[in-house]
Amino acid sequence: MYAWDTNEEYLFKAMVAFSMRKVPNREATEISHVLLCNVTQRVSFWFVVTDPSKNHTLPAVEVQSAIRMNRNRINNAFSLNDQTLEFLKIPSTLAPPTDPSVPIWIIIFGVIFCIVIVAITLLILSGIRQRRRKNKEPPEVDDTEDKCENMITVENGIPCDPLDMKGGHINEAFMTEDERLTPL
Amino acid sequence: MEKARPLWANPLQFVFACISYAVGLGNVWRFPYLCQMYGGGSFLVPYIIMLIVEGMPLLYLELAVGQRMRQGSIGAFRTISPYLSGVGVASVVVSFFLAMYYNVINAWAFWYLFHSFQDPLPWSVCPLNGNRTGYDEECEKASSTQYFWYRKTLNISPSIQENGSVQWEPALCLLLAWLVVYLCILRGTESTGKMEQLANPKAWINAATQIFFSLGLGFGSLIAFASYNEPSSNCQKHAIIVSLINSSTSIFASIVTFSIYGFKATFNYENCLRKVSLLLTNTFDLEDGFLTASNLEQVKGYLASAYPSKYSEVFPHIKNCSLESELDTAVQGTGLAFIVYTEAIKNMEVSQLWSVLYFFMLLMLGIGSMLGNTAAILTPLTDSKIISSHLPKEAISGLVCLISCAIGMVFTTEAGNYWFDIFNDYAATLSLLLIVLVETIAVCYVYGLRRFESDLKAMTGRALSWYWKVMWAGVSPLLIVGLFVFYLSDYILTGTLKYQAWEASQGQLVTKDYPAYALAAIGLLVASSTMCIPLVALGIFVLRRLKTGDAAPVA
């Protein structure tokens, strides 16, 4: 923070002269050509740039465009910005927000999307594989479950169902007796 | 003997699923709004009374029904009485409507979440206008957060009649939201386990309504969850735990929301003061730093008397800054979540971090509720033998998600937010009251309260306390009837329904009337779920008459 005094006014005149010197045709502008008037307490003032050779003030449009070109340098000289150092009738050119070629949100969306698709595919495939494995081994896996769920009648400790299904195979109900009775 | 029903791995999983379903976005954006509108802390009195008298008994009833019948909502009520299976159907229809529009909120949360990884946050700055000398006009009139919500996210049209086209950005986010939901429900139960002036009658009505909808009664989700329970699990304890956690989350969320309101109000108030000071300082060439908050009024008075002509010129531009008026702007719903909160976040330090955390939380809440919702739809479908014999579980889930997603694309059009508001306000409100009323009467009077009581005793080994019996048989149904009558008369008395439309040229919301076809859509929404109950009962009655008519009399 600094106080506004005549030295600061000198710096201001220097910056305006600097801006004018950058305009082609006006390289001869000196600090003494810039005049300040009506300086108020709130720190506001009018200023003009004179042309001593022709003894008139330069048109406002020229001065405005010159200052617009060097706005940044003037701001920095006073450690101020466009809001705190205001030139009436010189609208500031606002810096556009940076626009990357690919919006960032699409990148993050793409990443999450791919992760979710991969996870879904894995789960579906593992579900299909589980079901295929269950279908391939019915006798061993289902036997114990069948006994509990399918209310199979049991006689002599041997389930009746296999007796019906196996048709012409060995009749387990009589196996032990057979062995005892047929030694030949 | 039926095939073994999948079970929750442990009771904690079931409790978490219920909590995750019940604790949703309503706790964050509806309850704090109700507190603010109806007297702050004193709203807690009707809220807690309604919780004890209406919320807990009805929650316990739904959990007990699910656990006893061990089926989804359609099967459970078919067991009580075949004529009542319409109640289950109505539940599924309402759940389907909810599924269609609720996931759009998750889509918006994803959109904001993906946009949180930028510096500066896109809703904290206005974009520039054509010749780069100022900001976009709509953004200047409204605020940058409102502009980002209405223009960049929704690209909203000025009225519900102008449909516009499907916006591809929110459509993509909706697709992603549905894929995430599908991923979570793919494995069924195993993967789902995770989990609102006292004398003002309106305060009591709103407390009752808030408890009702906040717990998610009547959608069939709680019945579905409980049907996967062991018959002996203590659903009374679970009902109390879930309702208490749901209410404490609401109260906690409102504490946070009020501090956000306060932060935003203070910030806006100080901004307003700064703008007025700058205007006065520039006009009257006062010394910089002369005007402060404390002497503003005095200086204004002095300037008005010392330079009357100049003051009257600048007077229309001077806004009256008041902290009270900032605090009075209570907002609910999507406006609170996506405008007020984002405005508060953009002014905090490290805003990207808070933004990511906040939208992640919204997503967790939203997806948790969606899972409960889809369980309500899928459980009756997978229970039904006709459907589950033709299609595996994954295909049924995929089909439901696909249909909901396709219909949900309507909400991503330019007028989509207006249709969203229609669904949000009317799809579930009246129908749910009716559904839960019929549920309670069905269990108490059709199935029989004594029979249900002995079933529960046999199942859980615990006797039913007199409190629950009194509530189920008497108090809760009466309360629901009261709420139902109130809302019906409110709709009839208000006459034509209105909605808030965003006017881009003014940068604010304006009230408009619904066109005829929108009113017809609202009527259809309410009718399609409520009519299920009598229509299905009638259908079953007719079928039975035909069957007894056809069969030859048996000697």
Side-chain angles (χ1 to χ4, degrees), chain B residues 100-118:
Chain B
M100 277 198 279
Y101 81 83
Y102 198 82
N103 223 9
V104 178
I105 306 174
N106 290 331
W108 291 330
F110 269 122
W111 167 266
Y112 270 83
L113 179 68
F114 296 151
H115 277 85
S116 308
F117 293 95
Q118 294 174 22

Side-chain angles (χ1 to χ4, degrees), chain B residues 335-548:
Chain B
L336 174 62
F338 295 108
I339 298 180
V340 173
Y341 263 83
T342 47
E343 195 163 322
I345 289 176
K346 81 171 194 216
N347 296 320
M348 297 178 184
E349 303 294 314
V350 201
S351 36
Q352 281 80 6
L353 173 67
W354 303 119
S355 179
V356 169
L357 284 176
Y358 171 67
F359 288 110
F360 195 66
M361 173 204 79
L362 276 193
L363 269 175
M364 291 293 108
L365 291 177
I367 301 232
S369 302
M370 273 306 291
L371 297 184
N373 197 19
T374 42
I377 306 175
L378 288 176
T379 309
L381 289 180
T382 47
D383 283 348
S384 124
K385 310 227 182 346
I386 320 163
I387 303 178
S388 55
S389 55
H390 287 294
L391 292 169
K393 193 177 45 159
E394 288 91 346
I396 303 179
S397 322
L399 217 60
V400 169
C401 288
L402 189 66
I403 297 177
S404 305
C405 187
I407 302 181
M409 287 297 164
V410 169
F411 302 113
T412 58
T413 58
E414 288 178 26
N417 197 41
Y418 302 127
W419 289 104
F420 175 84
D421 281 334
I422 287 184
F423 269 72
N424 196 22
D425 289 335
Y426 301 109
T429 37
L430 274 180
S431 348
L432 279 183
L433 285 171
L434 190 63
I435 290 175
V436 175
L437 180 66
V438 177
E439 276 182 13
T440 323
I441 296 180
V443 170
C444 290
Y445 297 108
V446 176
Y447 190 77
L449 187 55
R450 275 189 222 281
R451 187 169 152 206
F452 195 61
E453 182 185 355
S454 56
D455 279 348
L456 281 183
K457 183 147 187 206
M459 210 171 55
T460 63
R462 269 165 279 256
L464 195 60
S465 145
W466 61 268
Y467 176 73
W468 303 117
K469 284 191 268 190
V470 168
M471 288 298 133
W472 288 349
V475 181
S476 304
L478 283 176
L479 259 174
I480 301 178
V481 169
L483 278 181
F484 195 73
V485 164
F486 169 78
Y487 278 116
L488 217 55
S489 50
D490 199 47
Y491 285 151
I492 296 173
L493 286 174
T494 324
T496 176
L497 299 164
K498 296 186 198 291
Y499 70 105
Q500 304 274 71
W502 176 256
E503 194 56 49
S505 48
Q506 293 174 30
Q508 61 180 20
L509 292 165
V510 292
T511 319
K512 290 194 183 161
D513 284 332
Y514 276 126
Y517 66 86
L519 291 172
I522 295 178
L524 199 64
L525 264 182
V526 180
S528 50
S529 43
T530 45
M531 285 300 129
C532 280
I533 305 179
L535 281 178
V536 170
L538 196 65
I540 304 268
F541 182 69
V542 166
L543 274 172
R544 287 216 162 159
R545 266 306 188 78
L546 289 175
K547 248 191 245 166
T548 48

Side-chain angles (χ1 to χ4, degrees), chain B residues 109-316:
Chain B
F110 269 122
W111 167 266
Y112 270 83
L113 179 68
F114 296 151
H115 277 85
S116 308
F117 293 95
Q118 294 174 22
D119 183 35
L121 288 174
W123 53 82
S124 55
V125 285
C126 274
L128 303 176
N129 62 13
N131 53 7
R132 303 237 186 113
T133 51
Y135 295 112
D136 184 284
E137 197 189 319
E138 187 181 350
C139 195
E140 281 279 293
K141 293 230 173 80
S143 67
S144 53
T145 43
Q146 280 181 311
Y147 177 80
F148 187 75
W149 169 245
Y150 286 111
R151 190 53 46 211
K152 286 287 164 68
T153 312
L154 301 175
N155 197 12
I156 203 164
S157 60
S159 73
I160 197 171
Q161 281 101 323
E162 296 155 54
N163 273 330
S165 54
V166 171
Q167 309 293 301
W168 65 269
E169 295 104 333
L172 274 184
C173 291
L174 182 64
L175 184 66
L176 179 65
W178 273 112
L179 283 174
V180 171
V181 169
Y182 181 56
L183 176 66
C184 295
I185 62 178
L186 197 50
R187 284 315 216 166
T189 316
E190 310 111 69
S191 58
T192 334
K194 312 178 33 188
M195 326 173 169
E196 305 144 311
Q197 297 164 26
L198 281 184
N200 185 359
K202 279 231 166 183
W204 289 87
I205 302 233
N206 275 301
T209 314
Q210 174 63 13
I211 281 286
F212 195 88
F213 295 120
S214 175
L215 287 172
L217 305 168
F219 285 101
S221 310
L222 296 164
I223 297 185
F225 280 156
S227 70
Y228 296 115
N229 260 346
E230 297 267 3
S232 55
S233 67
N234 186 0
C235 50
Q236 178 183 291
K237 185 172 74 167
H238 295 153
I240 298 182
I241 293 178
V242 170
S243 42
L244 281 179
I245 292 187
N246 180 54
S247 296
S248 23
T249 315
S250 291
I251 296 176
F252 175 74
S254 35
I255 297 177
V256 174
T257 306
F258 286 152
S259 54
I260 298 273
Y261 277 158
F263 175 79
K264 172 181 166 304
T266 315
F267 195 84
N268 285 348
Y269 172 67
E270 286 176 358
N271 242 11
C272 174
L273 279 180
R274 224 174 293 138
K275 280 205 191 120
V276 170
S277 310
L278 188 64
L279 179 64
L280 286 177
T281 316
N282 275 343
T283 321
F284 295 99
D285 277 339
L286 304 167
E287 197 183 316
D288 234 357
F290 175 62
L291 275 176
T292 62
S294 35
N295 66 7
L296 184 62
E297 287 306 311
Q298 285 177 308
V299 175
K300 269 164 70 176
Y302 163 71
L303 289 173
S305 52
Y307 311 96
S309 52
K310 234 181 177 180
Y311 192 78
S312 52
E313 271 174 26
V314 85
F315 186 67

